[in-house]
Each structure stands twice: as structure tokens, then as C-alpha cells.
């Protein structure tokens, strides 16, 4: 065994020195921690600068965690923060001796003369903490990866969720100056000058786009209706328009229907062939040719469908971030909100879970800077209410938080669903083959009831032709236009619809 002598003359095993040299210690910046804590105790401005950047766990040394926790408590209680008050708070917490007593606190204040560079110090402390978190998570992933019984896809989701939590918990956006924001606003206004006022993503429905200027980035849009009213048919028509006509990438999370069922509906809408014929495969020779020709546009469209059942909000966020990164999607559609789960992150009743889900959907829209469109069920109160059956905001099912979090709340209403033959307006015009898209809440714009054409056998919504030469329906096969009024939408897809059925079929 090779040995050497230390400065004290004692013999030391040289192999141990070599092992120590090749060893690793967690990333840390203890000197920066000391400087930051000292600056906070001598200058209140330093606390205001870093209080929303740091948290106790960000510090490497346990003593420093306790000192910062005491400072944080004083700040929350709006009490003065200095050497004496911090020492007194540590006494209350029973941790003064653990941190090294008053002598150690005095030493911290003597290491700095001001809080001039405290934000820089705090950023380094946070960086080291994030590195330690990444090491911990990676070690856990490595350990679980050796477990042969672990499901690899569950492991992937777990890894992505944990890494996402690191991002959400530590990377906080700072405030921007008025000058910076004004410059950004002016640049956006100039860009919109060449887009004919369309600041968002066009849906292909003329009047709706005129009202909203397209779906806006960072908005949460709720589209609610009773089962069988046409929620899925509307978003399928919209997704097809956005992807094929405008080239916008659309991600559809279908928690109810399979991806093949959903794409079959899109094929029906795009080709003009009834979904019943497509489902049974009973097509005439010319219809097969029509199918092969017109389905090409759909096959090339940037539409991504995920039919994972009982999808949790955390899995949705992970999948959405991946799609945004890999395919630059512009819109997310969720069909439908009540079928999502909180993934065990929220206790309490279902209403609290829905509240948590809606808050997270809004956060997702802001994070990815794209509109998130979520379908929602309405309560049975619509059916039991006398008079007009038009939905109200109070009819939103399970949680008022949906209305609160959403930027736009809209409803789909088809009088035919209730056996009506006329609209309840002044001229009592026929309502066969028509539906109404009701914008009941619009945080950044006006409200309106927009009438659309509904083609039952195609499960398709499109612009309604008016008597004044307005927008014509952009159907791919006009030969079917005159048939829509003779077909009962409730018979589409051979699925009967009753007002009391809570399953969202057929539309």
C-alpha cells in the first residue's frame, strides 16, 4: 500500500487521496449564499429583489435554509428585517443554536457592504439548486430504469413530469418595463396591418372570426353544450378548417372517441361522403374515387390526435409541450373537460378537481402562448327550464371556476334538438339544418349569437348562406347541401339521442 506523509508528519493512504480527487460533491455556492443572506440583513431592498426568486430549499447548507426561512417569515408578517429581528425569529423557531448563534449571523453581515449584486448572487444560488434537483431526478430515473417490472412509458411520463415541475417551480418571469411593453405592442400592431385585422388563428367560420379576430394566443376557450348538440362536430369542422385551409397545426386530445372514429368524421366532412357509408364501407365506385382524391388534403394536414382515456392534467401538459416543441402546434382542442382527471394532485370533491384542471389549462395556454379550446358539458337544468332552452353561464357543469378562468365561454344551441322548427326571434325563420354558436363571455371583445349551417349526415358545421349574398358554405361536395334538412341529426351514426343522456354522442 503506497503511503505518504502529511504536513503534520502522519502517514496517509495515498489511494484515499486519489479516490477523493475523483469524487463528486453536489453543485453549491456557499459563498454566494453567505453574501445574499448578509445583504438581506443589512438592506431591505435586497429582500425585495430576491424574495420571489429564492425559497429556503434553494440554499445548500441547512443553516442557511433556516436563516432564510426566518427572513421569509418576517417578510410575510411585514416586520422589520435586520440582524436582531432575524436572531429573535430563529429563537422562536428554536434554530438559533443550530445555525451557529448570533456570532454566525454577525459574520454574515460582515461579508458584504451592500445589496448591490444580490440578484446576481441569488441567480447563481438558484442555478446550483436546479442542478442538484436535476441530479436527484436523474438518479431516481436511472434507478427505476434498472427495474425490469417498470413500464417504460410510465417512466417516460414520470421523468417528463418531474423535469417540468423543476421548470415551473424555479423559472419565474420577471416584470417588464412600460417602454418594453409599448415597443412590443407597436410591433404587433404593425404586423396586424397586413393581416386584415386577424390577430389570432382563423377558424374558417366568417362571422366568428370577425367577432374574435381569430382564436387568440394564451386564451382558454370553453365550448359547452348538452350531449348530442354538436360539440365534437363543431371542433372537428373547426380543426379541419384551421389545418387544411390555414395550415395551423392542431392537437386534438379526444378522451371519449377513438382517434380512428375522429378521423373518420373528418374524412366524412372533407369528402362529402356520409359517415354511415364510410363506417360500413358501402361506397359506389365513383365514391371510392371521390374518397381517394379528396382525402389527400386531410392526410397532409398538420392534425395530431391523442385518444388516451382518462388523461390527467399533468400528462396533458407534458404531451402538449412535446407537440409544441416537435411540431409547433398552434391550437389545442380537448374533448372533453369533464373526462379529464387531476392525476391525484388535488384532493377534495369533483368540483375542486375541475377547478384545478381549468386553472392548469389556462396556465398551459399562457405557457405555450397558444389558444386552448376545451369542450364542456352543461347541467340538466337546461332541459328542465321552461321557455327558451338557450344555455346560460350558470348551466356550466360542476364548477363556476370554468367560467372564471376562461377568456371565452361559448355554447352550441340547435333548436331541432328540442323538436323546434322555427327560431324564437322576431321573424320566426326556419331553423332546420341550423345551429347557433353563442358567445356568452368574451374577456377581450363583444358578444354575439352566430348562426351556422349544420349538415347532420356529415356531422359538419359551416358558414350559413344568408339572403344578402353573404358567405356561401365551403362544402367540398355541394350535391349534399340540399339533403341536410331532410335528415334527422339525432339519427346520425345510428346513435339515438335523448335529452337525458349524459354520454356525449353522437356529436
Amino acid at each position: 500500500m503506497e503511503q505518504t506523509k502529511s504536513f503534520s508528519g502522519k502517514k496517509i493512504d495515498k489511494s484515499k487521496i486519489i479516490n477523493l480527487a475523483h469524487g463528486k460533491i453536489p453543485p453549491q455556492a456557499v459563498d454566494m449564499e453567505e453574501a445574499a443572506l448578509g445583504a438581506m440583513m443589512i438592506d431591505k431592498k435586497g429582500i425585495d429583489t430576491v424574495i420571489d426568486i429564492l425559497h429556503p430549499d434553494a440554499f445548500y447548507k441547512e443553516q442557511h435554509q433556516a436563516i432564510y426561512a426566518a427572513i421569509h417569515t418576517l417578510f410575510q408578517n411585514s416586520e422589520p428585517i435586520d440582524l436582531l429581528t432575524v436572531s429573535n425569529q430563529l429563537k422562536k423557531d428554536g434554530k438559533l443554536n443550530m445555525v451557529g448563534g448570533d456570532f454566525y449571523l454577525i459574520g454574515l453581515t460582515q461579508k458584504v457592504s451592500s445589496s448591490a449584486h444580490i440578484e446576481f448572487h441569488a441567480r447563481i444560488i438558484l442555478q446550483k439548486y436546479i442542478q442538484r434537483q436535476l441530479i436527484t431526478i436523474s438518479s431516481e430515473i436511472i434507478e427505476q430504469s434498472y427495474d425490469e417490472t417498470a413500464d417504460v412509458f410510465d417512466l417516460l411520463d414520470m421523468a417528463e413530469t418531474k423535469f417540468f415541475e423543476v421548470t415551473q417551480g424555479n423559472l419565474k418571469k420577471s416584470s417588464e418595463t412600460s417602454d418594453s411593453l409599448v415597443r412590443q405592442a407597436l410591433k404587433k400592431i404593425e404586423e396586424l396591418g397586413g393581416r386584415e385585422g386577424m390577430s389570432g388563428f382563423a377558424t374558417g367560420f366568417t362571422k366568428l372570426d370577425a367577432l374574435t379576430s381569430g382564436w387568440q394566443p394564451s386564451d382558454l376557450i370553453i365550448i359547452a353544450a348538452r350531449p348530442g348538440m354538436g360539440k365534437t362536430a363543431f371542433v372537428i369542422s373547426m380543426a379541419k378548417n384551421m389545418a387544411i385551409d390555414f395550415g395551423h397545426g392542431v392537437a386534438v386530445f379526444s378522451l371519449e372517441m377513438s382517434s380512428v372514429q375522429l378521423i373518420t368524421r373528418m374524412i366524412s366532412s372533407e369528402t362529402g361522403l356520409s359517415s354511415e357509408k364510410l363506417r360500413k364501407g358501402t361506397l359506389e365506385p365513383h365514391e371510392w374515387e371521390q374518397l381517394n382524391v379528396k382525402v389527400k388534403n386531410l392526410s397532409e394536414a398538420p392534425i395530431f390526435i391523442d385518444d388516451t382515456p382518462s388523461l390527467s392534467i399533468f400528462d396533458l401538459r407534458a404531451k402538449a409541450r412535446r407537440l409544441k416543441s416537435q411540431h409547433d402546434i398552434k391550437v389545442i382542442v380537448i374533448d372533453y373537460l369533464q373526462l379529464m382527471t387531476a392525476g391525484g394532485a388535488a384532493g377534495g370533491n369533483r368540483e375542486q378537481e375541475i377547478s384545478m384542471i381549468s386553472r392548469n389549462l389556462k396556465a398551459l395556454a399562457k405557457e405555450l402562448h397558444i389558444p386552448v379550446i376545451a369542450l364542456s358539458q352543461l347541467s340538466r337544468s337546461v332541459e328542465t327550464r321552461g321557455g327558451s332552452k338557450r344555455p346560460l353561464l350558470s348551466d356550466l357543469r360542476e364548477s363556476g371556476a370554468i367560467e372564471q378562468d376562461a377568456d371565452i365561454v361559448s355554447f352550441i344551441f340547435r333548436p331541432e334538438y328540442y323538436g323546434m322548427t322555427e327560431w324564437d326571434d322576431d321573424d320566426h325563420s326556419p331553423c332546420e339544418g341550423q345551429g347557433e354558436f353563442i358567445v356568452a363571455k368574451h374577456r377581450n371583445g363583444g358578444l354575439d349569437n352566430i348562426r351556422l349551417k349544420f349538415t347532420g349526415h356529415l356531422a359538419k358545421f359551416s358558414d350559413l348562406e344568408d339572403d344578402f349574398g353573404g358567405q356561401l358554405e365551403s362544402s367540398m361536395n355541394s350535391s349534399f347541401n340540399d339533403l341536410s334538412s331532410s335528415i334527422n341529426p339525432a339519427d346520425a351514426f345510428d346513435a339515438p339521442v335523448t335529452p337525458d343522456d349524459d354520454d356525449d354522442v353522437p356529436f
Side-chain angles (χ1 to χ4, degrees):
M1 181 181 294
E2 188 179 359
Q3 293 183 334
T4 186
K5 288 185 178 180
S6 68
F7 291 109
S8 63
K10 294 181 179 180
K11 293 182 179 180
I12 300 175
D13 185 353
K14 194 172 182 181
S15 64
K16 292 183 178 180
I17 297 178
I18 296 173
N19 290 337
L20 182 60
H22 289 279
K24 295 180 180 179
I25 60 174
Q28 55 185 289
V30 175
D31 53 341
M32 297 291 182
E33 294 180 8
E34 293 173 345
L37 291 172
M40 282 186 269
M41 286 189 283
I42 67 173
D43 190 351
K44 185 180 181 299
K45 291 181 181 178
I47 303 166
D48 296 334
T49 303
V50 303
I51 198 70
D52 62 340
I53 299 175
L54 297 176
H55 48 85
D57 290 339
F59 291 83
Y60 179 71
K61 292 185 68 173
E62 187 178 356
Q63 297 97 313
H64 294 169
Q65 293 177 7
I67 294 170
Y68 185 76
I71 292 174
H72 197 275
T73 300
L74 292 170
F75 181 86
Q76 287 183 317
N77 296 335
S78 301
E79 297 180 10
I81 299 172
D82 55 35
L83 183 61
L84 295 176
T85 56
V86 172
S87 175
N88 187 56
Q89 183 62 43
L90 286 168
K91 285 179 183 177
K92 290 181 182 178
D93 297 338
K95 295 182 178 180
L96 182 60
N97 291 332
M98 183 269 284
V99 303
D102 291 333
F103 180 78
Y104 188 76
L105 296 179
I106 293 170
L108 292 176
T109 60
Q110 291 176 341
K111 289 181 180 292
V112 290
S113 57
S114 73
S115 63
H117 305 294
I118 190 171
E119 183 175 358
F120 178 76
H121 296 159
R123 298 291 180 188
I124 294 178
I125 295 169
L126 186 63
Q127 175 184 326
K128 300 300 181 184
Y129 169 68
I130 293 173
Q131 286 177 285
R132 294 197 299 273
Q133 279 191 306
L134 293 176
I135 291 170
T136 301
I137 294 171
S138 300
S139 299
E140 184 180 347
I141 293 169
I142 291 171
E143 183 178 350
Q144 293 193 30
S145 295
Y146 279 107
D147 184 358
E148 295 293 340
T149 63
D151 183 277
V152 66
F153 296 105
D154 289 342
L155 189 58
L156 282 171
D157 285 339
M158 182 274 290
E160 191 163 34
T161 299
K162 286 186 175 291
F163 284 127
F164 180 67
E165 288 172 355
V166 172
T167 304
Q168 288 294 98
N170 297 289
L171 303 183
K172 299 176 181 178
K173 186 178 178 181
S174 59
S175 301
E176 297 184 73
T177 65
S178 175
D179 179 64
S180 172
L181 293 172
V182 167
R183 290 177 185 274
Q184 291 179 42
L186 290 175
K187 183 179 179 181
K188 184 176 181 180
I189 293 170
E190 290 174 1
E191 292 174 351
L192 294 177
R195 296 174 56 184
E196 299 180 355
M198 191 60 63
S199 57
F201 302 104
T203 66
F205 299 112
T206 307
K207 292 183 179 179
L208 178 59
D209 288 337
L211 178 68
T212 63
S213 296
W215 297 138
Q216 301 298 312
S218 302
D219 274 5
L220 173 60
I221 299 113
I222 300 295
I223 301 175
R226 286 294 292 154
M229 194 65 72
K231 298 188 298 295
T232 304
F234 177 83
V235 294
I236 284 176
S237 302
M238 179 190 69
K240 184 181 69 67
N241 293 343
M242 298 181 80
I244 294 178
D245 297 341
F246 303 103
H248 301 318
V250 181
V252 180
F253 292 90
S254 177
L255 285 77
E256 185 179 39
M257 299 176 62
S258 73
S259 54
V260 175
Q261 288 176 317
L262 209 58
I263 202 69
T264 301
R265 286 195 179 191
M266 290 188 182
I267 292 172
S268 173
S269 177
E270 177 67 8
T271 63
L273 300 171
S274 79
S275 54
E276 182 180 357
K277 283 190 172 185
L278 292 175
R279 189 175 67 250
K280 295 179 179 179
T282 55
L283 301 179
E284 300 295 331
H286 72 279
E287 291 176 327
W288 281 109
E289 183 178 351
Q290 179 179 335
L291 174 65
N292 292 327
V293 171
K294 293 189 176 181
V295 81
K296 184 179 179 182
N297 288 337
L298 185 60
S299 66
E300 297 174 351
I303 298 174
F304 308 90
I305 300 176
D306 186 308
D307 60 358
T308 304
S310 301
L311 188 67
S312 74
I313 181 62
F314 298 108
D315 289 339
L316 170 71
R317 290 169 70 170
K319 290 172 181 285
R321 291 172 71 246
R322 198 180 308 144
L323 284 167
K324 178 64 177 175
S325 173
Q326 296 176 354
H327 303 288
D328 193 27
I329 57 171
K330 303 300 184 184
V331 180
I332 291 175
V333 177
I334 301 158
D335 184 13
Y336 59 91
L337 189 149
Q338 279 81 8
L339 290 179
M340 293 189 68
T341 65
N349 56 33
R350 182 59 179 162
E351 182 174 339
Q352 291 172 326
E353 286 189 358
I354 292 295
S355 299
M356 190 276 285
I357 291 169
S358 67
R359 284 194 303 271
N360 276 272
L361 290 179
K362 175 59 181 175
L364 177 65
K366 291 185 68 176
E367 180 199 351
L368 301 183
H369 197 58
I370 59 176
V372 173
I373 301 166
L375 304 189
S376 177
Q377 289 279 30
L378 291 178
S379 66
R380 293 176 184 268
S381 58
V382 181
E383 315 293 349
T384 59
R385 187 168 57 233
S388 175
K389 300 294 185 181
R390 274 189 174 84
L392 305 172
L393 288 172
S394 58
D395 296 324
L396 281 173
R397 185 173 172 182
E398 289 186 304
S399 178
I402 298 176
E403 176 188 346
Q404 177 182 334
D405 296 328
D407 298 278
I408 295 177
V409 178
S410 55
F411 303 110
I412 294 176
F413 173 63
R414 289 192 300 111
E416 281 185 300
Y417 179 87
Y418 298 105
M420 303 177 187
T421 58
E422 298 178 341
W423 288 103
D424 55 355
D425 52 12
D426 294 336
D427 58 358
H428 298 286
S429 57
C431 63
E432 287 184 311
Q434 297 181 21
E436 205 167 49
F437 189 84
I438 303 169
V439 180
K441 175 191 175 181
H442 191 186
R443 185 167 286 161
N444 300 306
L447 310 179
D448 199 2
N449 295 351
I450 300 167
R451 291 183 184 173
L452 300 171
K453 183 177 182 62
F454 178 71
T455 310
H457 67 288
L458 301 180
K460 175 182 179 179
F461 280 90
S462 54
D463 279 334
L464 180 67
E465 180 184 4
D466 55 46
D467 295 331
F468 303 99
Q471 178 70 27
L472 295 176
E473 178 194 8
S474 57
S475 171
M476 298 300 297
N477 189 345
S478 60
S479 63
F480 286 99
N481 290 351
D482 296 332
L483 297 176
S484 60
S485 61
S486 64
I487 295 177
N488 185 357
D491 293 334
F493 310 110
D494 295 333
V497 177
T498 60
D500 293 329
D501 185 7
D502 271 347
D503 295 327
D504 195 11
V505 292
F507 309 114

